[in-house]
Amino acid sequence: MTETEFLNVSDAILERIEAACDDAAADIDPHRQGNVLELEFEDGSKIIVNRHAANQELWIAAKHGGFHYRLQEGQWRSTREEGEFFADLAHAITLHGGEPFSFDE
């Protein structure tokens, strides 16, 4: 994937996350600045989602840890564990927001 393709794909992913947060039952306030999307919750906690173009990775920073994902066989898979980006982010949002959260396919 070229850098331009990665930037386009990651922009679409950040937009998808913003839209899902806007539709969520939990009180989530998304703030995007460049390649960083900050999700702020009612209790003041935050999840940071950003892209790292040099490695073509998506990163999640949450209160339970930091995670890196790379596109592998059509899915954003964890570079360190068995996780998948959207499932892991949904889990983090559920932990922070106190309400069940999922990304509708």
Short mmCIF file of all heavy atoms in Angstrom, two decimals, residues 17-69:
data_model
loop_
_atom_site.label_atom_id
_atom_site.label_comp_id
_atom_site.label_asym_id
_atom_site.label_seq_id
_atom_site.Cartn_x
_atom_site.Cartn_y
_atom_site.Cartn_z
N ILE A 17 -15.01 5.78 13.05
CA ILE A 17 -15.00 5.79 14.51
C ILE A 17 -15.80 6.98 15.04
O ILE A 17 -16.62 6.84 15.94
CB ILE A 17 -13.56 5.82 15.05
CG1 ILE A 17 -12.82 4.53 14.67
CG2 ILE A 17 -13.55 6.02 16.57
CD1 ILE A 17 -11.32 4.60 14.86
N GLU A 18 -15.57 8.16 14.45
CA GLU A 18 -16.30 9.36 14.86
C GLU A 18 -17.81 9.16 14.71
O GLU A 18 -18.59 9.49 15.62
CB GLU A 18 -15.86 10.57 14.04
CG GLU A 18 -14.49 11.09 14.40
CD GLU A 18 -14.07 12.24 13.50
OE1 GLU A 18 -13.84 11.99 12.30
OE2 GLU A 18 -13.97 13.37 14.01
N ALA A 19 -18.23 8.63 13.58
CA ALA A 19 -19.66 8.41 13.33
C ALA A 19 -20.25 7.41 14.33
O ALA A 19 -21.35 7.63 14.85
CB ALA A 19 -19.88 7.92 11.90
N ALA A 20 -19.53 6.33 14.61
CA ALA A 20 -20.01 5.33 15.57
C ALA A 20 -20.13 5.93 16.97
O ALA A 20 -21.07 5.62 17.70
CB ALA A 20 -19.09 4.12 15.57
N CYS A 21 -19.18 6.79 17.33
CA CYS A 21 -19.24 7.42 18.65
C CYS A 21 -20.42 8.38 18.75
O CYS A 21 -21.06 8.47 19.79
CB CYS A 21 -17.93 8.15 18.94
SG CYS A 21 -16.56 7.04 19.28
N ASP A 22 -20.69 9.08 17.67
CA ASP A 22 -21.84 9.99 17.65
C ASP A 22 -23.16 9.24 17.83
O ASP A 22 -24.10 9.78 18.41
CB ASP A 22 -21.88 10.80 16.35
CG ASP A 22 -20.80 11.86 16.28
OD1 ASP A 22 -20.25 12.24 17.35
OD2 ASP A 22 -20.49 12.32 15.16
N ASP A 23 -23.22 8.00 17.35
CA ASP A 23 -24.44 7.19 17.43
C ASP A 23 -24.51 6.34 18.70
O ASP A 23 -25.51 5.67 18.93
CB ASP A 23 -24.52 6.25 16.22
CG ASP A 23 -24.72 7.01 14.92
OD1 ASP A 23 -25.15 8.17 14.94
OD2 ASP A 23 -24.41 6.42 13.85
N ALA A 24 -23.47 6.36 19.52
CA ALA A 24 -23.38 5.46 20.68
C ALA A 24 -24.29 5.89 21.82
O ALA A 24 -24.62 7.07 21.97
CB ALA A 24 -21.94 5.40 21.18
N ALA A 25 -24.68 4.90 22.63
CA ALA A 25 -25.48 5.17 23.83
C ALA A 25 -24.64 5.89 24.89
O ALA A 25 -25.15 6.73 25.61
CB ALA A 25 -26.03 3.86 24.39
N ALA A 26 -23.38 5.54 24.97
CA ALA A 26 -22.49 6.18 25.95
C ALA A 26 -22.19 7.61 25.52
O ALA A 26 -22.26 7.96 24.35
CB ALA A 26 -21.18 5.38 26.06
N ASP A 27 -21.85 8.44 26.50
CA ASP A 27 -21.50 9.84 26.23
C ASP A 27 -20.03 9.89 25.82
O ASP A 27 -19.14 9.88 26.68
CB ASP A 27 -21.77 10.68 27.47
CG ASP A 27 -21.55 12.16 27.23
OD1 ASP A 27 -21.45 12.57 26.05
OD2 ASP A 27 -21.46 12.91 28.22
N ILE A 28 -19.78 9.94 24.51
CA ILE A 28 -18.42 9.96 23.97
C ILE A 28 -18.28 11.23 23.13
O ILE A 28 -19.09 11.50 22.25
CB ILE A 28 -18.14 8.74 23.07
CG1 ILE A 28 -18.47 7.44 23.80
CG2 ILE A 28 -16.69 8.76 22.59
CD1 ILE A 28 -18.49 6.22 22.90
N ASP A 29 -17.23 11.99 23.42
CA ASP A 29 -17.00 13.23 22.70
C ASP A 29 -15.73 13.08 21.85
O ASP A 29 -14.62 13.17 22.38
CB ASP A 29 -16.86 14.37 23.70
CG ASP A 29 -16.91 15.73 23.06
OD1 ASP A 29 -17.29 15.83 21.87
OD2 ASP A 29 -16.56 16.71 23.75
N PRO A 30 -15.87 12.82 20.54
CA PRO A 30 -14.68 12.67 19.70
C PRO A 30 -14.12 14.02 19.26
O PRO A 30 -14.87 14.93 18.92
CB PRO A 30 -15.19 11.87 18.50
CG PRO A 30 -16.65 12.17 18.43
CD PRO A 30 -17.09 12.51 19.83
N HIS A 31 -12.80 14.15 19.33
CA HIS A 31 -12.09 15.35 18.87
C HIS A 31 -10.98 14.89 17.95
O HIS A 31 -10.11 14.12 18.36
CB HIS A 31 -11.46 16.12 20.03
CG HIS A 31 -12.42 16.58 21.06
ND1 HIS A 31 -13.21 17.68 20.89
CD2 HIS A 31 -12.73 16.08 22.28
CE1 HIS A 31 -13.95 17.85 21.96
NE2 HIS A 31 -13.69 16.88 22.81
N ARG A 32 -11.00 15.37 16.72
CA ARG A 32 -9.96 14.98 15.77
C ARG A 32 -9.09 16.17 15.43
O ARG A 32 -9.59 17.25 15.13
CB ARG A 32 -10.58 14.41 14.51
CG ARG A 32 -9.53 13.90 13.55
CD ARG A 32 -10.16 13.07 12.48
NE ARG A 32 -9.17 12.73 11.48
CZ ARG A 32 -9.46 12.29 10.29
NH1 ARG A 32 -10.73 12.12 9.93
NH2 ARG A 32 -8.52 12.01 9.43
N GLN A 33 -7.78 15.94 15.49
CA GLN A 33 -6.82 16.95 15.09
C GLN A 33 -5.74 16.24 14.27
O GLN A 33 -4.93 15.49 14.81
CB GLN A 33 -6.22 17.63 16.31
CG GLN A 33 -5.42 18.85 15.98
CD GLN A 33 -5.12 19.67 17.22
OE1 GLN A 33 -5.18 19.20 18.35
NE2 GLN A 33 -4.77 20.92 17.02
N GLY A 34 -5.80 16.45 12.96
CA GLY A 34 -4.85 15.80 12.07
C GLY A 34 -5.01 14.30 12.09
O GLY A 34 -6.09 13.77 11.84
N ASN A 35 -3.93 13.61 12.43
CA ASN A 35 -3.94 12.15 12.42
C ASN A 35 -4.28 11.55 13.78
O ASN A 35 -4.13 10.35 13.99
CB ASN A 35 -2.60 11.61 11.93
CG ASN A 35 -1.46 11.94 12.87
OD1 ASN A 35 -1.52 12.89 13.63
ND2 ASN A 35 -0.40 11.16 12.81
N VAL A 36 -4.75 12.38 14.71
CA VAL A 36 -5.07 11.92 16.06
C VAL A 36 -6.56 12.13 16.35
O VAL A 36 -7.09 13.21 16.15
CB VAL A 36 -4.23 12.69 17.12
CG1 VAL A 36 -4.62 12.26 18.53
CG2 VAL A 36 -2.74 12.48 16.87
N LEU A 37 -7.19 11.07 16.82
CA LEU A 37 -8.60 11.12 17.23
C LEU A 37 -8.64 10.83 18.73
O LEU A 37 -8.22 9.77 19.17
CB LEU A 37 -9.44 10.10 16.47
CG LEU A 37 -10.90 9.99 16.86
CD1 LEU A 37 -11.64 11.32 16.65
CD2 LEU A 37 -11.57 8.88 16.08
N GLU A 38 -9.13 11.80 19.48
CA GLU A 38 -9.25 11.66 20.93
C GLU A 38 -10.71 11.44 21.27
O GLU A 38 -11.57 12.21 20.86
CB GLU A 38 -8.75 12.95 21.58
CG GLU A 38 -8.69 12.92 23.07
CD GLU A 38 -8.10 14.21 23.62
OE1 GLU A 38 -6.87 14.34 23.62
OE2 GLU A 38 -8.90 15.09 24.01
N LEU A 39 -10.97 10.36 22.00
CA LEU A 39 -12.32 10.05 22.46
C LEU A 39 -12.38 10.35 23.94
O LEU A 39 -11.70 9.69 24.74
CB LEU A 39 -12.67 8.59 22.20
CG LEU A 39 -12.45 8.08 20.76
CD1 LEU A 39 -12.77 6.60 20.68
CD2 LEU A 39 -13.25 8.88 19.77
N GLU A 40 -13.17 11.35 24.31
CA GLU A 40 -13.27 11.72 25.72
C GLU A 40 -14.61 11.24 26.27
O GLU A 40 -15.65 11.39 25.62
CB GLU A 40 -13.15 13.23 25.89
CG GLU A 40 -13.09 13.64 27.34
CD GLU A 40 -12.74 15.11 27.53
OE1 GLU A 40 -12.47 15.81 26.54
OE2 GLU A 40 -12.75 15.54 28.69
N PHE A 41 -14.56 10.70 27.49
CA PHE A 41 -15.73 10.11 28.11
C PHE A 41 -16.22 10.98 29.27
O PHE A 41 -15.50 11.86 29.76
CB PHE A 41 -15.41 8.69 28.58
CG PHE A 41 -15.09 7.78 27.43
CD1 PHE A 41 -13.82 7.75 26.88
CD2 PHE A 41 -16.07 7.00 26.85
CE1 PHE A 41 -13.53 6.94 25.78
CE2 PHE A 41 -15.80 6.18 25.77
CZ PHE A 41 -14.53 6.16 25.24
N GLU A 42 -17.43 10.70 29.70
CA GLU A 42 -18.09 11.50 30.74
C GLU A 42 -17.25 11.61 32.01
O GLU A 42 -17.25 12.64 32.67
CB GLU A 42 -19.46 10.88 31.04
CG GLU A 42 -20.36 11.74 31.86
CD GLU A 42 -21.76 11.15 31.95
OE1 GLU A 42 -21.96 9.96 31.66
OE2 GLU A 42 -22.66 11.91 32.32
N ASP A 43 -16.52 10.55 32.35
CA ASP A 43 -15.70 10.56 33.57
C ASP A 43 -14.35 11.25 33.37
O ASP A 43 -13.53 11.27 34.28
CB ASP A 43 -15.49 9.14 34.09
CG ASP A 43 -14.65 8.27 33.16
OD1 ASP A 43 -14.24 8.73 32.07
OD2 ASP A 43 -14.39 7.11 33.54
N GLY A 44 -14.10 11.80 32.17
CA GLY A 44 -12.84 12.49 31.89
C GLY A 44 -11.76 11.60 31.31
O GLY A 44 -10.71 12.10 30.89
N SER A 45 -11.99 10.29 31.28
CA SER A 45 -10.99 9.40 30.70
C SER A 45 -10.97 9.56 29.18
O SER A 45 -11.93 10.07 28.58
CB SER A 45 -11.25 7.94 31.10
OG SER A 45 -12.45 7.47 30.52
N LYS A 46 -9.87 9.14 28.56
CA LYS A 46 -9.71 9.30 27.12
C LYS A 46 -9.12 8.06 26.49
O LYS A 46 -8.36 7.33 27.11
CB LYS A 46 -8.78 10.48 26.82
CG LYS A 46 -9.32 11.80 27.28
CD LYS A 46 -8.35 12.92 26.98
CE LYS A 46 -8.88 14.24 27.52
NZ LYS A 46 -7.96 15.34 27.26
N ILE A 47 -9.48 7.86 25.24
CA ILE A 47 -8.83 6.89 24.36
C ILE A 47 -8.27 7.70 23.20
O ILE A 47 -8.96 8.56 22.65
CB ILE A 47 -9.81 5.84 23.82
CG1 ILE A 47 -10.37 4.98 24.96
CG2 ILE A 47 -9.13 4.95 22.76
CD1 ILE A 47 -11.47 4.02 24.52
N ILE A 48 -7.03 7.43 22.86
CA ILE A 48 -6.39 8.10 21.74
C ILE A 48 -6.20 7.09 20.61
O ILE A 48 -5.65 6.01 20.83
CB ILE A 48 -5.01 8.69 22.13
CG1 ILE A 48 -5.11 9.56 23.39
CG2 ILE A 48 -4.40 9.44 20.96
CD1 ILE A 48 -5.99 10.76 23.27
N VAL A 49 -6.68 7.44 19.42
CA VAL A 49 -6.47 6.62 18.23
C VAL A 49 -5.68 7.48 17.25
O VAL A 49 -6.05 8.62 16.99
CB VAL A 49 -7.81 6.21 17.58
CG1 VAL A 49 -7.57 5.37 16.33
CG2 VAL A 49 -8.68 5.46 18.57
N ASN A 50 -4.57 6.94 16.77
CA ASN A 50 -3.83 7.69 15.76
C ASN A 50 -3.20 6.74 14.76
O ASN A 50 -3.17 5.53 14.93
CB ASN A 50 -2.80 8.61 16.40
CG ASN A 50 -1.64 7.88 17.03
OD1 ASN A 50 -1.81 6.84 17.63
ND2 ASN A 50 -0.46 8.44 16.93
N ARG A 51 -2.73 7.34 13.69
CA ARG A 51 -2.06 6.55 12.65
C ARG A 51 -0.58 6.89 12.64
O ARG A 51 -0.19 8.02 12.94
CB ARG A 51 -2.69 6.82 11.30
CG ARG A 51 -2.53 8.25 10.83
CD ARG A 51 -3.16 8.44 9.48
NE ARG A 51 -3.10 9.85 9.11
CZ ARG A 51 -4.01 10.47 8.39
NH1 ARG A 51 -5.07 9.82 7.97
NH2 ARG A 51 -3.88 11.73 8.10
N HIS A 52 0.20 5.90 12.31
CA HIS A 52 1.64 6.08 12.18
C HIS A 52 1.99 5.73 10.74
O HIS A 52 2.12 4.56 10.38
CB HIS A 52 2.37 5.19 13.18
CG HIS A 52 3.82 5.49 13.26
ND1 HIS A 52 4.75 4.81 12.54
CD2 HIS A 52 4.49 6.43 13.97
CE1 HIS A 52 5.94 5.29 12.80
NE2 HIS A 52 5.82 6.28 13.66
N ALA A 53 2.10 6.77 9.91
CA ALA A 53 2.27 6.56 8.46
C ALA A 53 3.56 5.84 8.12
O ALA A 53 3.59 5.02 7.20
CB ALA A 53 2.19 7.90 7.73
N ALA A 54 4.63 6.12 8.84
CA ALA A 54 5.92 5.49 8.51
C ALA A 54 5.85 3.97 8.59
O ALA A 54 6.45 3.28 7.77
CB ALA A 54 7.01 6.02 9.44
N ASN A 55 5.12 3.46 9.56
CA ASN A 55 4.96 2.00 9.73
C ASN A 55 3.65 1.48 9.15
O ASN A 55 3.38 0.29 9.23
CB ASN A 55 5.03 1.62 11.21
CG ASN A 55 6.40 1.80 11.79
OD1 ASN A 55 7.38 1.96 11.08
ND2 ASN A 55 6.48 1.83 13.10
N GLN A 56 2.81 2.38 8.65
CA GLN A 56 1.47 2.05 8.16
C GLN A 56 0.71 1.26 9.23
O GLN A 56 0.17 0.18 8.98
CB GLN A 56 1.53 1.30 6.83
CG GLN A 56 2.05 2.17 5.72
CD GLN A 56 1.83 1.59 4.33
OE1 GLN A 56 1.45 0.43 4.18
NE2 GLN A 56 2.06 2.41 3.33
N GLU A 57 0.66 1.87 10.42
CA GLU A 57 -0.02 1.25 11.55
C GLU A 57 -1.07 2.20 12.13
O GLU A 57 -0.95 3.42 12.02
CB GLU A 57 0.97 0.89 12.66
CG GLU A 57 1.92 -0.21 12.28
CD GLU A 57 2.90 -0.55 13.39
OE1 GLU A 57 2.99 0.18 14.40
OE2 GLU A 57 3.58 -1.57 13.25
N LEU A 58 -2.06 1.62 12.79
CA LEU A 58 -3.02 2.34 13.60
C LEU A 58 -2.69 2.03 15.05
O LEU A 58 -2.38 0.87 15.38
CB LEU A 58 -4.45 1.89 13.29
CG LEU A 58 -4.92 2.10 11.85
CD1 LEU A 58 -6.29 1.47 11.65
CD2 LEU A 58 -4.96 3.58 11.52
N TRP A 59 -2.75 3.02 15.91
CA TRP A 59 -2.42 2.85 17.31
C TRP A 59 -3.60 3.24 18.19
O TRP A 59 -4.32 4.19 17.90
CB TRP A 59 -1.22 3.71 17.70
CG TRP A 59 0.07 3.33 17.04
CD1 TRP A 59 0.31 2.26 16.21
CD2 TRP A 59 1.30 4.04 17.14
NE1 TRP A 59 1.62 2.27 15.81
CE2 TRP A 59 2.26 3.34 16.36
CE3 TRP A 59 1.70 5.18 17.81
CZ2 TRP A 59 3.57 3.76 16.25
CZ3 TRP A 59 3.02 5.60 17.70
CH2 TRP A 59 3.94 4.89 16.93
N ILE A 60 -3.77 2.50 19.28
CA ILE A 60 -4.78 2.80 20.30
C ILE A 60 -4.06 2.95 21.63
O ILE A 60 -3.28 2.08 22.01
CB ILE A 60 -5.84 1.68 20.44
CG1 ILE A 60 -6.61 1.49 19.14
CG2 ILE A 60 -6.79 1.98 21.60
CD1 ILE A 60 -7.53 0.26 19.15
N ALA A 61 -4.35 4.03 22.35
CA ALA A 61 -3.87 4.22 23.72
C ALA A 61 -5.12 4.35 24.60
O ALA A 61 -5.95 5.23 24.38
CB ALA A 61 -3.01 5.46 23.84
N ALA A 62 -5.25 3.44 25.57
CA ALA A 62 -6.40 3.43 26.47
C ALA A 62 -5.89 3.16 27.88
O ALA A 62 -4.71 2.82 28.07
CB ALA A 62 -7.39 2.34 26.05
N LYS A 63 -6.78 3.28 28.86
CA LYS A 63 -6.33 3.11 30.24
C LYS A 63 -5.83 1.69 30.54
O LYS A 63 -5.08 1.50 31.48
CB LYS A 63 -7.40 3.55 31.24
CG LYS A 63 -8.71 2.81 31.19
CD LYS A 63 -9.68 3.43 32.19
CE LYS A 63 -11.08 2.89 32.04
NZ LYS A 63 -12.01 3.60 32.94
N HIS A 64 -6.19 0.73 29.72
CA HIS A 64 -5.73 -0.64 29.95
C HIS A 64 -4.54 -1.02 29.06
O HIS A 64 -4.10 -2.16 29.07
CB HIS A 64 -6.88 -1.64 29.80
CG HIS A 64 -7.40 -1.77 28.40
ND1 HIS A 64 -8.18 -0.79 27.83
CD2 HIS A 64 -7.26 -2.75 27.48
CE1 HIS A 64 -8.50 -1.18 26.59
NE2 HIS A 64 -7.95 -2.36 26.37
N GLY A 65 -3.99 -0.05 28.30
CA GLY A 65 -2.78 -0.34 27.54
C GLY A 65 -2.68 0.38 26.21
O GLY A 65 -3.59 1.12 25.82
N GLY A 66 -1.58 0.14 25.53
CA GLY A 66 -1.33 0.68 24.20
C GLY A 66 -1.22 -0.46 23.20
O GLY A 66 -0.64 -1.50 23.51
N PHE A 67 -1.76 -0.24 22.00
CA PHE A 67 -1.87 -1.32 21.02
C PHE A 67 -1.55 -0.80 19.62
O PHE A 67 -1.94 0.32 19.27
CB PHE A 67 -3.29 -1.91 21.05
CG PHE A 67 -3.72 -2.28 22.45
CD1 PHE A 67 -4.41 -1.36 23.23
CD2 PHE A 67 -3.42 -3.52 22.98
CE1 PHE A 67 -4.81 -1.68 24.53
CE2 PHE A 67 -3.81 -3.85 24.27
CZ PHE A 67 -4.50 -2.93 25.04
N HIS A 68 -0.87 -1.61 18.82
CA HIS A 68 -0.51 -1.27 17.45
C HIS A 68 -1.13 -2.29 16.50
O HIS A 68 -1.13 -3.50 16.79
CB HIS A 68 1.01 -1.30 17.27
CG HIS A 68 1.73 -0.31 18.12
ND1 HIS A 68 3.06 -0.06 17.96
CD2 HIS A 68 1.32 0.51 19.12
CE1 HIS A 68 3.45 0.86 18.82
NE2 HIS A 68 2.40 1.21 19.55
N TYR A 69 -1.58 -1.81 15.33
CA TYR A 69 -2.26 -2.67 14.36
C TYR A 69 -1.73 -2.40 12.96
O TYR A 69 -1.49 -1.26 12.59
CB TYR A 69 -3.78 -2.42 14.37
CG TYR A 69 -4.37 -2.66 15.74
CD1 TYR A 69 -4.33 -1.66 16.70
CD2 TYR A 69 -4.90 -3.89 16.07
CE1 TYR A 69 -4.82 -1.90 17.97
CE2 TYR A 69 -5.41 -4.12 17.33
CZ TYR A 69 -5.36 -3.12 18.28
OH TYR A 69 -5.84 -3.35 19.55
#
